[in-house]
């Protein structure tokens, strides 16, 4: 089927149809553009979503991503970001392979269509011109024939009239001949133009128009093929990224399958394990014989040797039990037994087990964090110390690498003096060596604390043995219980403001009963390894090399109670002193 033969008389309709085809193509281009904008917008939203839930650097949230579930979530965010990138690829490929290509093609198509229809209009104008010439020659031939007939009739009339002169007859005859000649010429001209028009008309309808319409048909068919190819490309652009999107989804599935609940549970243990032992059982207190009742292990009235309370705090003021508390100078009222009131307090606020550890916890809260992290539970302290040791080792390695680089540069300067002065590097080399030495001393200090902590932490099988034999040398069960409470994570490490205020109220009742307590006996001596500034309440300052008396050994919280004189005693970090216990002293700790 050919438009030239089938649609030879549909020039105007073909012109409208081809314009409609261009409009369809432009509509498809607009559709693809809007699709690319949607893809870009979707990709942007996915990227923003992924970025929104990414962990912030150097924040507590970043530490949470140690857990496998959080790591899987982070992998999901990263895969979502890659997924967004594939939608950007779709947009880019559709723009370059469809929109841009079709935009160029539609310009070429418009030019080609314009050329074909211009040629068709030119052929139309030519045939119309030929038709006008034919009509003109035909009318002229018709007019000349009529004029010749009238001239012949006039001649015949003049020739029949006897009254007309011979000259007039001759003139009419000549005029008739002229008109006949003109008619013959018009006839010949009309015949010639008619033949020419018929030839042009055949050429127009059988050659020019079919050729032009055939070109227009081919142009239109190429447009249809092109839009079909663009639709295939539209699908292929999507299909090309499907494997990569599948990999993104596979990555999310793999991340989900990598979640290890046991590992996460272990990380929770590592993050929050204190290393303390659970508190022991409370002893039964017999209230049936108030005058001769047995002193319980949980009674504050129990002491090391003489029955007096041993909860006197170390510090520069000897007679004070509680910091920041004034004595109640009002007349004393009859009080309940001290152990009974203390047991009631322990029942209402189970987190506070030992007044001494509470005071030390309060004093540590008021000051800065100790350098050896002795304010932390043993397990958390060990982790902090290990982390500090690792950081120092990295810094030492970095300084050593810098020293090696300076040494190599100095060797180069020595071999090639023109490149630089070797002496100019001596100052820098000395400075690096000093830094290395400082870092090594610092690392040794933390390693010593770490070794001390690791040596004190019990193995799993030794826990029961530690509970049974740790405090065998203590003569007073109450002191034993208080020492355990100092190791409890609910002691000096988790005090709350409400608890502090409540203890202050109770302390006013207990204050007078402890004012006259006797000093603790010395259980050994110690030598200060480092200088310690005891600025917090309950601590005491020592200088390196100083020898002092030990009145209470470290109970597991990293502090040792010492005395310089009767009026000067307090706590110092255990790692700052070297302790020499007297095995025969009362209250000395005995290890199994």
């Amino acid at each position: 089927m050919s438009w030239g033969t089938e649609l030879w008389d549909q020039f105007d309709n073909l012109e409208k149809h081809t314009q409609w085809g261009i409009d369809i193509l432009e509509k498809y281009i607009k559709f693809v553009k809007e699709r690319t904008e949607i893809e870009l917008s979707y990709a942007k939203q996915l990227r923003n979503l992924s970025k929104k839930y990414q962990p912030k650097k150097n924040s507590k949230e970043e530490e949470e991503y140690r857990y496998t579930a959080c790591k899987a979530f982070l992998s999901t965010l990263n895969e979502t970001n890659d997924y967004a990138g594939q939608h950007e690829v779709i947009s880019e490929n559709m723009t370059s392979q469809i929109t841009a290509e079709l935009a160029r093609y539609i310009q070429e198509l418009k030019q080609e269509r314009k050329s074909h229809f211009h040629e068709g209009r030119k052929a139309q104008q030519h045939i119309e011109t030929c038709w006008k010439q034919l009509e003109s020659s035909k009318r002229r031939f018709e007019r000349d024939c009529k004029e010749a007939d009238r001239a012949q009739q006039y001649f015949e009339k003049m020739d029949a009239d006897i009254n007309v002169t011979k000259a007039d007859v001759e003139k009419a005859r000549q005029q008739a001949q002229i008109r006949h000649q003109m008619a013959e010429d018009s006839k010949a001209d009309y015949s010639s133009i008619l033949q020419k028009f018929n030839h042009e008309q055949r050429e127009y309808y059988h050659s020019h128009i079919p050729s032009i319409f055939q070109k227009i048909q081919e142009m239109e068919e190429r447009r249809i093929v092109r839009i079909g190819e663009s639709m295939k490309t539209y699908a292929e652009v999507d299909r090309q990224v499907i494997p990569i999107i599948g990999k993104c989804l596979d990555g999310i599935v793999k991340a989900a399958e990598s979640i290890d609940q046991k590992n996460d549970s272990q990380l929770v243990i590592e993050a929050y394990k204190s290393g303390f032992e659970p508190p022991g059982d409370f002893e039964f207190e017999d209230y049936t014989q108030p005058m001769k009742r047995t002193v319980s292990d949980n009674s504050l009235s129990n002491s090391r040797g003489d029955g007096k309370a041993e909860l006197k705090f170390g510090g520069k003021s000897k007679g004070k039990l509680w910091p920041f508390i004034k004595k109640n100078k009002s007349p004393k009222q009859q009080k309940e037994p001290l152990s009974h009131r203390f047991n009631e307090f322990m029942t209402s606020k189970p987190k506070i087990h030992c007044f001494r550890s509470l005071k030390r916890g309060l004093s540590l809260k008021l000051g800065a964090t100790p350098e050896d992290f002795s304010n932390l539970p043993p397990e958390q302290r060990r982790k902090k110390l290990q982390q500090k040791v690792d950081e120092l080792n990295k810094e030492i390695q970095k300084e050593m690498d810098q020293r090696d680089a300076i040494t190599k540069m100095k060797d180069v300067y020595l071999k090639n003096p023109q490149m630089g002065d070797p002496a100019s590097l001596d100052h820098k080399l000395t400075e690096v060596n000093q830094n290395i030495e400082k870092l090594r001393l610092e690392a040794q200090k933390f390693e010593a604390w770490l070794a001390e902590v690791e040596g004190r932490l019990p193995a799993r099988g030794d826990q029961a043995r530690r509970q049974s034999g740790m405090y065998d040398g203590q003569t007073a069960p109450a002191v034993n219980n208080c020492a355990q409470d100092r190791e409890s994570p609910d002691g000096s490490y988790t005090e709350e403001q409400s608890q502090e205020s409540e203890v202050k109220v109770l302390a006013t009742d207990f204050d007078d009963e402890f004012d006259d307590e006797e000093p603790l006996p010395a259980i050994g001596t110690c030598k200060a390894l480092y200088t310690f500034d005891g600025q917090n309440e309950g601590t005491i300052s020592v200088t390196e090399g100083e020898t002092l008396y030990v009145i209470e050994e470290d109970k597991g919280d990293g502090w040792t109670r010492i005395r310089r004189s009767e009026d000067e005693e307090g706590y110092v970090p255990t790692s700052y002193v070297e302790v020499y216990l007297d095995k025969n002293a009362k209250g000395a700790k005995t290890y199994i």
Side-chain angles (χ1 to χ4, degrees):
M1 293 183 295
S2 173
W3 287 8
T5 57
E6 303 291 339
L7 303 174
W8 60 271
D9 57 345
Q10 298 297 321
F11 185 89
D12 293 337
N13 286 333
L14 287 181
E15 187 176 19
K16 292 178 182 178
H17 177 77
T18 53
Q19 181 59 46
W20 171 83
I22 291 175
D23 293 341
I24 287 294
L25 194 58
E26 288 178 338
K27 184 184 291 187
Y28 181 73
I29 293 174
K30 185 178 180 181
F31 160 74
V32 176
K33 280 184 178 179
E34 292 186 5
R35 165 70 189 276
T36 58
E37 291 172 359
I38 291 173
E39 293 292 342
L40 282 178
S41 176
Y42 182 50
K44 183 179 179 180
Q45 291 178 14
L46 285 178
R47 286 192 184 279
N48 290 339
L49 181 65
S50 176
K51 184 179 179 181
K52 177 181 178 181
Y53 287 93
Q54 287 283 347
K56 297 178 181 179
K57 293 183 178 179
N58 302 324
S59 67
K60 183 179 179 181
E61 184 181 357
E62 191 175 19
E63 296 179 1
E64 297 174 356
Y65 283 81
R66 298 174 301 164
Y67 299 99
T68 57
C70 293
K71 287 180 180 178
F73 178 49
L74 182 59
S75 297
T76 301
L77 294 178
N78 294 333
E79 295 295 348
T80 302
N81 194 58
D82 294 342
Y83 185 88
Q86 298 311 308
H87 285 279
E88 291 175 346
V89 170
I90 291 175
S91 176
E92 292 172 1
N93 290 342
M94 284 187 176
T95 300
S96 60
Q97 299 179 23
I98 300 178
T99 306
E101 291 294 329
L102 286 183
R104 285 193 295 267
Y105 174 71
I106 205 170
Q107 294 300 323
E108 297 173 359
L109 184 64
K110 287 180 179 180
Q111 290 295 329
E112 184 180 359
R113 176 181 175 277
K114 182 179 179 181
S115 174
H116 293 325
F117 282 99
H118 176 72
E119 187 178 354
R121 288 193 182 90
K122 188 177 178 180
Q124 280 184 336
Q125 290 174 359
H126 178 70
I127 198 66
E128 287 175 1
T129 302
C130 292
W131 169 256
K132 288 178 181 179
Q133 290 177 355
L134 177 63
E135 287 294 319
S136 177
S137 65
K138 180 180 178 181
R139 285 193 301 270
R140 187 170 57 252
F141 172 57
E142 182 182 6
R143 185 180 64 249
D144 289 344
C145 287
K146 289 180 179 180
E147 289 294 332
D149 287 341
R150 283 196 297 268
Q152 183 65 30
Q153 291 175 2
Y154 180 72
F155 166 70
E156 290 177 353
K157 181 180 179 183
M158 291 295 289
D159 188 44
D161 191 356
I162 60 173
N163 295 321
V164 178
T165 63
K166 189 177 180 179
D168 291 335
V169 173
E170 185 61 26
K171 183 178 179 181
R173 185 180 65 78
Q174 290 178 356
Q175 188 66 29
Q177 289 178 351
I178 291 172
R179 289 298 178 182
H180 278 292
Q181 186 61 42
M182 289 177 64
E184 290 294 330
D185 292 339
S186 296
K187 181 181 179 180
D189 187 43
Y190 170 63
S191 177
S192 174
I193 291 175
L194 179 60
Q195 290 178 1
K196 182 180 178 182
F197 174 76
N198 289 333
H199 174 73
E200 291 295 336
Q201 184 173 255
R202 284 194 301 270
E203 289 292 322
Y204 176 78
Y205 287 113
H206 298 283
S207 179
H208 295 315
I209 287 298
S211 176
I212 293 170
F213 282 12
Q214 184 64 30
K215 292 177 182 178
I216 294 174
Q217 181 181 356
E218 292 173 357
M219 176 194 73
E220 184 68 8
E221 289 175 353
R222 286 198 305 272
R223 178 193 66 81
I224 295 171
V225 171
R226 191 63 176 267
I227 196 171
E229 290 175 349
S230 299
M231 290 178 180
K232 287 182 180 179
T233 304
Y234 178 87
E236 288 301 322
V237 166
D238 256 345
R239 195 189 306 276
Q240 286 171 1
V241 301
I242 286 177
I244 304 176
I245 291 176
K247 289 182 180 179
C248 294
L249 299 178
D250 290 343
I252 294 175
V253 173
K254 185 177 180 181
E257 292 174 349
S258 68
I259 295 176
D260 186 352
Q261 66 276 14
K262 298 297 183 183
N263 181 71
D264 286 1
S265 299
Q266 182 61 33
L267 289 176
V268 174
I269 294 174
E270 294 176 2
Y272 300 111
K273 181 181 178 180
S274 67
F276 290 121
E277 299 296 335
D281 296 338
F282 282 87
E283 296 293 335
F284 176 76
E285 296 189 25
D286 190 359
Y287 288 93
T288 57
Q289 299 178 1
M291 300 303 295
K292 298 180 180 181
R293 68 179 176 82
T294 304
V295 177
S296 72
D297 289 346
N298 296 311
S299 174
L300 287 180
S301 61
N302 194 10
S303 66
R304 293 180 182 268
D306 53 6
K308 292 188 177 181
E310 297 294 337
L311 290 176
K312 173 175 174 287
F313 284 105
K316 296 181 180 179
S317 57
K318 178 180 177 183
K320 294 290 183 181
L321 175 64
W322 298 102
F324 322 119
I325 298 179
K326 295 182 180 180
K327 275 190 176 183
N328 184 4
K329 299 300 181 181
S330 60
K332 295 182 180 179
Q333 300 176 355
Q334 186 176 2
K335 303 176 182 177
E336 301 176 22
L338 180 60
S339 60
H340 178 59
R341 298 187 65 182
F342 180 58
N343 287 334
E344 286 182 354
F345 174 71
M346 294 293 291
T347 304
S348 61
K349 292 292 180 181
K351 285 188 176 181
I352 304 178
H353 299 307
C354 177
F355 290 131
R356 180 185 298 144
S357 52
L358 173 62
K359 178 182 176 183
R360 289 178 55 196
L362 292 173
S363 65
L364 287 174
K365 281 185 177 181
L366 297 175
T369 303
E371 185 182 13
D372 61 349
F373 306 107
S374 55
N375 61 315
L376 297 176
E379 179 64 23
Q380 300 302 317
R381 182 188 180 197
R382 181 191 66 77
K383 290 178 61 179
K384 287 288 186 181
L385 290 173
Q386 183 64 57
Q387 181 181 355
K388 189 69 176 178
V389 169
D390 294 340
E391 291 175 359
L392 289 171
N393 287 335
K394 289 181 181 179
E395 292 181 13
I396 291 172
Q397 186 60 44
K398 184 177 178 181
E399 293 290 336
M400 291 177 67
D401 294 341
Q402 186 176 359
R403 182 183 64 183
D404 294 342
I406 296 173
T407 304
K408 290 180 181 179
M409 187 179 294
K410 186 175 181 180
D411 292 341
V412 173
Y413 286 175
L414 289 172
K415 295 178 182 178
N416 302 288
Q418 67 275 10
M419 296 183 66
D421 182 14
S424 63
L425 300 175
D426 290 341
H427 176 70
K428 184 66 176 176
L429 192 60
T430 303
E431 182 181 349
V432 172
N433 286 329
Q434 290 176 352
N435 291 340
I436 293 174
E437 189 61 28
K438 289 179 182 178
L439 291 172
R440 280 178 175 169
L441 290 175
E442 190 78 5
Q444 289 175 3
K445 181 170 64 174
F446 280 95
E447 286 172 355
W449 288 331
L450 179 62
E452 175 190 353
V453 174
E454 290 177 342
R456 185 167 62 247
L457 288 176
R460 294 182 180 176
D462 298 336
Q463 291 180 355
R465 183 171 57 184
R466 174 180 173 180
Q467 287 181 342
S468 62
M470 192 69 168
Y471 305 107
D472 288 346
Q474 298 285 354
T475 58
V479 176
N480 182 11
N481 188 49
C482 187
Q484 289 181 358
D485 291 339
R486 288 172 55 196
E487 291 186 348
S488 171
D490 295 330
S492 62
Y493 306 106
T494 56
E495 295 87 2
E496 298 176 0
Q497 188 173 356
S498 61
Q499 297 168 348
E500 295 172 12
S501 60
E502 206 167 317
V503 171
K504 289 180 182 180
V505 174
L506 290 173
T508 51
D509 293 335
F510 299 153
D511 202 6
D512 293 334
E513 296 190 24
F514 290 108
D515 279 346
D516 299 329
E517 81 174 317
E518 296 182 0
L520 296 173
I523 60 174
T525 60
C526 67
K527 181 180 179 182
L529 301 176
Y530 310 101
T531 298
F532 173 70
D533 250 347
Q535 297 180 354
N536 296 328
E537 182 71 23
T539 60
I540 184 173
S541 301
V542 296
T543 57
E544 184 178 352
E546 186 178 3
T547 302
L548 305 104
Y549 292 102
V550 178
I551 58 175
E552 184 179 306
E553 196 185 356
D554 185 359
K555 304 299 182 183
D557 58 357
W559 294 87
T560 300
R561 190 174 181 183
I562 62 173
R563 177 189 297 134
R564 181 179 286 110
S565 63
E566 287 189 3
D567 296 330
E568 198 171 3
E569 65 180 43
Y571 289 93
V572 295
T574 304
S575 56
Y576 277 60
V577 294
E578 185 175 359
V579 179
Y580 308 98
L581 294 180
D582 184 0
K583 296 183 179 179
N584 298 322
K586 183 180 291 186
K589 190 180 290 185
T590 303
Y591 293 95
I592 296 178

